[in-house]
Amino acid sequence: MRTSSSRRGRRAAIAAVAAVVTGTALLTGCGSDDDGGGKGGGTEKITLRIGTFGSFGYDDKTGAKLYAEYERLHPNIKIEESNVSDGQKYWDTLKLRLAQNSGVADIQAVEVGYIAEATGPAMANKWVDLGKEGGARMDAFLDWKVKQATTGDGKVIGLGTDIGPMAICYNKDLFAKAKLPTEREAVGRLWSGDWAKFLATGEKYKAAAPAGTAFHDSASGLFNAVVSSDPVQYADAGGKLDWENSPGVKNAWDTAVKAARSGLTAKLRQFDEKGTWNAAFKNSKFATVACPSWMTGIIKDQAGPANQGKWDIAAPPVAGNWGGSFLAVPKAGKHTKEAAELAAWLTAPAQHAKVFAVNGNIPSSKDTLTSSAVQEAKLPYFGDTPVGKIFSSAASGITPASISRYDGQVKTFLTDNGILDIEQRGTDPAKAWENVKKLVDDKIDQ
């Protein structure tokens, strides 16, 4: 999940399933608890608090109703989720709480852009080893997903929720009005193999666009999609931050800047706290959005019932993986044993399948990913679109890029402080790049 700059970025990283919570309430677990304290017992009435961002699909309102199911199976347990939209603020607040050993939730979601920091030497001892606690089967997960959440001394601090194989979601009504193809395979051929073709399609859309609409939602979102499709992103092969010399970052920057300066985007900040991006889905203000699997749940929730059947999913210009997340259990939580057991249950293959069926989040468990339940799945919101086939096929080609512990922060600086300034304020791209460099130099101690 992302997706945010953790816009899942789980992806994520970045929300669709709950009200935005700000200030000290960015994380659950703050303040007193009326459940008796301690680490919990087999019959003791306890409340387990979960801190998330974006759309994880567990909730009882628009998700797979997993919390209600778990509460039925464990009558002594009540689950409360706090969900926010801004993944970077979520992570910054979580780091502060972890440093203070206070105020954390029993379970905290961690986006892939921050997992290397979470497993690094400064934070590795803050988490429960879920390879030993909770009963999760490590062999059920994709091997590379487990590796991402493993510390230098072999502790597994996070259980994989989803991965983010990418597609392009597009509004069929807007494409038709702009005299572009609407059938998904024909749409995919418009830009197959090259992000430059995607921009060229944007120019065609712009020439005949319905009034008040743009081809793409966000230059920052486009940056994330392009960089996620490159094998070299923010780090070198050894996991050291090297974003300035990355061909993937340069290509993503140039592509996003060109889109912004050519008027192809709606100039929106994804996951903004004011809800402007969400409202633009509902009001059909843009025709395309870079669409890792977890984005389908956001489209469903934000575009709403009135737009059901209007969105479809096409292959991306270049395959990639944007986002994906983990559930982790802080040692400072109130009920670490019960939290580890809940995290293991939520990320088990059976639950992965339930979340995918409702929310479209592609699972990070091997058997679920290849199961008929996923391979043959369709999401009601997207009609007859073979969602499972599209995303599971994309997932099979994922080669994870090397990651550093600073990827999430650098991505935020590049998108929110670089590209967004170009897009919304007309900042010169060279100046914006220098501003990002200064931020990295000032804020990141390598």
Side-chain angles (χ1 to χ4, degrees):
M1 175 69 32
R2 296 217 51 206
T3 266
S4 79
S5 295
S6 300
R7 315 290 204 208
R8 300 163 19 33
R10 327 213 187 114
R11 275 164 270 241
I14 339 214
V17 298
V20 172
V21 183
T22 57
T24 58
L26 274 168
L27 300 173
T28 55
C30 306
S32 62
D33 191 356
D34 60 0
D35 56 26
K39 292 295 178 180
T43 58
E44 178 188 6
K45 297 286 187 180
I46 64 171
T47 298
L48 294 179
R49 295 184 168 86
I50 302 180
T52 67
F53 50 87
S55 181
F56 278 73
Y58 301 145
D59 67 289
D60 299 333
K61 184 178 180 182
T62 62
K65 298 179 172 55
L66 295 188
Y67 297 148
E69 182 178 350
Y70 195 80
E71 288 170 347
R72 286 194 299 271
L73 295 171
H74 301 81
N76 64 309
I77 290 177
K78 178 183 178 183
I79 300 170
E80 293 181 355
E81 178 186 25
S82 179
N83 176 277
V84 303
S85 58
D86 193 313
Q88 184 64 57
K89 287 184 179 179
Y90 168 92
W91 179 244
D92 290 343
T93 304
L94 176 54
K95 286 198 297 183
L96 177 62
R97 302 282 179 175
L98 288 168
Q100 296 171 335
N101 290 316
S102 175
V104 295
D106 297 289
I107 296 174
Q108 297 281 177
V110 180
E111 205 263 351
V112 66
Y114 306 104
I115 195 65
E117 186 175 6
T119 59
M123 296 179 66
N125 67 345
K126 297 291 185 180
W127 311 99
V128 171
D129 182 358
L130 297 176
K132 295 181 178 179
E133 302 291 335
R137 285 179 45 227
M138 294 302 112
D139 62 350
F141 297 96
L142 293 165
D143 295 341
W144 58 265
K145 191 75 173 179
V146 176
K147 184 178 179 180
Q148 287 179 330
T150 301
T151 65
D153 59 354
K155 297 184 180 70
V156 180
I157 64 101
L159 302 178
T161 58
D162 63 330
I163 55 178
M166 219 164 37
I168 298 291
C169 290
Y170 64 100
N171 186 306
K172 293 184 289 187
D173 281 10
L174 293 183
F175 264 50
K177 290 175 181 177
K179 300 179 174 57
L180 290 174
T182 58
E183 192 276 322
R184 69 184 68 91
E185 297 208 359
V187 171
R189 286 194 293 270
L190 292 172
W191 48 64
S192 179
D194 193 344
W195 286 104
K197 293 180 182 178
F198 184 72
L199 299 190
T201 303
E203 293 289 355
K204 293 178 182 178
Y205 179 89
K206 180 181 174 183
T213 71
F215 175 63
H216 200 61
D217 66 322
S218 160
S220 294
L222 181 59
F223 172 90
N224 284 325
V226 178
V227 77
S228 296
S229 67
D230 199 284
V232 181
Q233 299 177 13
Y234 304 97
D236 63 20
K240 182 180 179 181
L241 184 66
D242 192 29
W243 68 279
E244 289 184 73
N245 298 310
S246 165
V249 169
K250 185 178 189 309
N251 182 42
W253 176 272
D254 290 346
T255 302
V257 168
K258 185 175 181 180
R261 301 187 91 190
S262 300
L264 302 183
T265 73
K267 301 182 179 181
L268 298 168
R269 179 181 181 270
Q270 292 185 332
F271 308 95
D272 69 299
E273 293 180 340
K274 294 181 180 179
T276 307
W277 182 62
N278 291 342
F281 275 110
K282 183 177 182 179
N283 296 318
S284 298
K285 291 297 185 181
F286 52 83
T288 65
V289 60
C291 200
S293 51
W294 46 262
M295 187 68 77
T296 59
I298 292 173
I299 293 172
K300 169 177 67 76
D301 292 341
Q302 300 308 326
N307 290 302
Q308 183 167 343
K310 294 181 180 180
W311 284 87
D312 209 331
I313 306 171
V318 184
N321 184 76
W322 173 9
S325 295
F326 304 82
L327 296 184
V329 176
K331 289 181 179 178
K334 287 191 172 186
H335 309 290
T336 56
K337 176 181 180 294
E338 291 82 0
E341 292 170 352
L342 173 57
W345 186 85
L346 288 170
T347 57
Q351 278 61 257
H352 275 169
K354 294 170 189 173
V355 170
F356 176 76
V358 173
N359 221 50
N361 296 20
I362 283 288
S364 58
S365 51
K366 300 172 189 174
D367 291 345
T368 315
L369 191 56
T370 58
S371 69
S372 59
V374 170
Q375 295 283 331
E376 300 170 9
K378 297 178 181 179
L379 297 177
Y381 195 84
F382 292 86
D384 66 351
T385 303
V387 176
K389 181 179 179 181
I390 290 170
F391 285 117
S392 60
S393 176
S396 67
I398 291 174
T399 301
S402 179
I403 57 177
S404 83
R405 57 187 173 135
Y406 304 110
D407 285 14
Q409 283 181 277
V410 173
K411 180 167 62 174
T412 296
F413 294 151
L414 283 161
T415 54
D416 290 2
N417 302 100
I419 292 167
L420 196 65
D421 279 353
I422 297 168
E423 188 176 34
Q424 293 187 347
R425 301 177 182 86
T427 303
D428 179 76
K431 175 64 174 174
W433 182 266
E434 287 302 314
N435 290 343
V436 172
K437 288 176 64 176
K438 289 177 182 177
L439 278 169
V440 173
D441 291 343
D442 290 346
K443 302 293 185 181
I444 294 179
D445 180 13
Q446 298 187 64

